Amino acid sequence: MLRGLYTAAAGMITEQRRHDTATQNIVNMNTTGYKQVNTVKRSFPEMLITLTGGDANLPTKRLGRLNSGVFAEESLSMNVQGTLMETKRNSDFAISSNLIVNDPQTGQPVPFDASGKWVRADGTITFQPQAYFTVRDAEGNTRYTRDGHLKVDGTGQLLSSTGSQVLDNNGQPIVLTGSVEQFKVDEQGRLINAATGDLTGVNLGISIIDQPNQLIRQGDGNFSLSEEEGATARMMAAADNVQIHQGYLEGSNVDASQATIDMNAAFRAYEANQKIIQFYDRSLDKAVNEVGRV
């Protein structure tokens, strides 16, 4: 009997996490550059149930396999393009990219699905590389973000919406010499002198993450690379299919309809597991207080 109690409890914990993830997606639907998160569920290893005691002459004592519950294994971000929204602010930027990866066997471009991944016949998963703004936080750590809502402080430093320094392609903080109204950037991320139309020699630091699935959320729309996985980042090259849009922001890529469905489904599943635990509680109460009394 207690096996079912543990299984239902594991289901409640899993559905609570799934509900929290769906709620997080809904809350951040209007957050600039937010990437939807999906909860991955996995069942515990199955157990082989056998009969103990009883008739020793039975041909088999195996009763079958029993699933011992489910758990939320991890939360995966969907690092794919969000919708671009025009703001007409010189300090707002959005990245649009469609980076191509060729299949080493055929030499043809990999057909990524809507979630930005491709699964080969042998089960190998390839993720589509993504481009990010490169920033440095107050502790000196390099972070990556799609939030292009930038601002300029009193010293001319270009900062992210959370106050981190925006870096150039050499890893140095960008400092503007003119007013924000004269702040111009072309589609390749190169800063332009608005008065003369000449290039300033400074480029926005756009990092290409070849394995975006290895990014770790740090809060406030910032990500870091997983050092344990050996993840690396490189600066955008001229051949990369990446464009910078000044006067635009990238909206979240949350599917509002699917997030609402996931939230309601998680709530109903949580409620069902709760009813099962209540049933076991009543059964155990009778076993202890009524049957045991006899």
Side-chain angles (χ1 to χ4, degrees):
M1 180 179 291
L2 292 181
R3 288 197 188 102
L5 188 65
Y6 295 145
T7 301
M12 288 183 65
I13 295 172
T14 300
E15 295 304 331
Q16 179 180 4
R17 181 170 177 180
R18 183 185 171 198
H19 185 275
D20 292 345
T21 300
T23 304
Q24 174 184 328
N25 290 332
I26 293 174
V27 169
N28 288 282
M29 282 175 52
N30 295 322
T31 301
T32 304
Y34 177 80
K35 300 305 176 185
Q36 177 174 316
V37 180
N38 295 326
T39 300
V40 179
K41 296 187 295 183
R42 182 178 179 181
S43 62
F44 288 110
E46 293 184 340
M47 298 185 296
L48 181 63
I49 305 300
T50 59
L51 180 66
T52 58
D55 190 353
N57 297 321
L58 290 175
T60 177
K61 291 189 176 183
R62 292 185 178 180
L63 301 180
R65 296 183 179 274
L66 175 67
N67 189 294
S68 53
V70 66
F71 68 100
E73 184 176 28
E74 58 182 336
S75 297
L76 299 179
S77 298
M78 286 187 59
N79 296 293
V80 294
Q81 185 74 46
T83 304
L84 301 189
M85 304 174 295
E86 186 175 10
T87 65
K88 297 183 179 179
R89 293 182 68 252
N90 283 355
S91 57
D92 284 344
F93 296 90
I95 299 174
S96 65
S97 63
N98 185 22
L99 297 167
I100 297 174
V101 176
N102 291 326
D103 186 348
Q105 296 182 351
T106 64
Q108 298 298 317
V110 168
F112 293 107
D113 60 17
S115 64
K117 67 180 180 181
W118 174 60
V119 183
R120 296 178 57 179
D122 60 0
T124 303
I125 301 177
T126 301
F127 291 88
Q128 185 174 25
Q130 300 293 333
Y132 291 83
F133 297 105
T134 311
V135 299
R136 180 182 296 153
D137 63 17
E139 287 74 33
N141 301 310
T142 300
R143 299 290 185 245
Y144 307 95
T145 181
R146 294 282 289 208
D147 183 0
H149 184 54
L150 310 183
K151 57 186 178 182
V152 181
D153 67 5
T155 63
Q157 279 198 101
L158 190 62
L159 306 176
S160 69
S161 61
T162 58
S164 297
Q165 296 175 324
V166 179
L167 305 182
D168 62 15
N169 57 339
N170 294 316
Q172 299 300 316
I174 295 177
V175 180
L176 304 181
T177 56
S179 64
V180 178
E181 288 73 19
Q182 296 179 335
F183 182 33
K184 300 295 181 183
V185 177
D186 65 9
E187 291 185 346
Q188 297 180 16
R190 300 177 297 187
L191 274 65
I192 300 174
N193 187 321
T196 64
D198 298 330
L199 297 175
T200 62
V202 179
N203 296 354
L204 287 176
I206 306 300
S207 295
I208 306 299
I209 311 297
D210 290 328
Q211 295 293 332
N213 60 303
Q214 295 179 352
L215 288 172
I216 302 173
R217 288 178 180 267
Q218 297 295 336
D220 296 326
N222 295 324
F223 296 85
S224 65
L225 286 175
S226 174
E227 297 179 356
E228 297 179 357
E229 299 291 339
T232 58
R234 62 177 178 84
M235 282 297 164
M236 180 181 69
D240 291 323
N241 187 13
V242 178
Q243 290 185 333
I244 309 301
H245 304 271
Q246 187 173 18
Y248 288 81
L249 289 176
E250 179 186 2
S252 71
N253 62 358
V254 174
D255 186 334
S257 300
Q258 188 61 49
T260 304
I261 292 172
D262 290 343
M263 182 181 66
N264 290 329
F267 175 75
R268 295 302 181 190
Y270 182 93
E271 192 177 42
N273 282 289
Q274 186 182 44
K275 295 295 183 182
I276 293 174
I277 290 180
Q278 291 174 350
F279 168 78
Y280 277 114
D281 181 62
R282 289 193 298 268
S283 299
L284 290 172
D285 178 67
K286 286 187 177 182
V288 173
N289 297 318
E290 296 182 16
V291 178
R293 189 188 313 164
V294 176

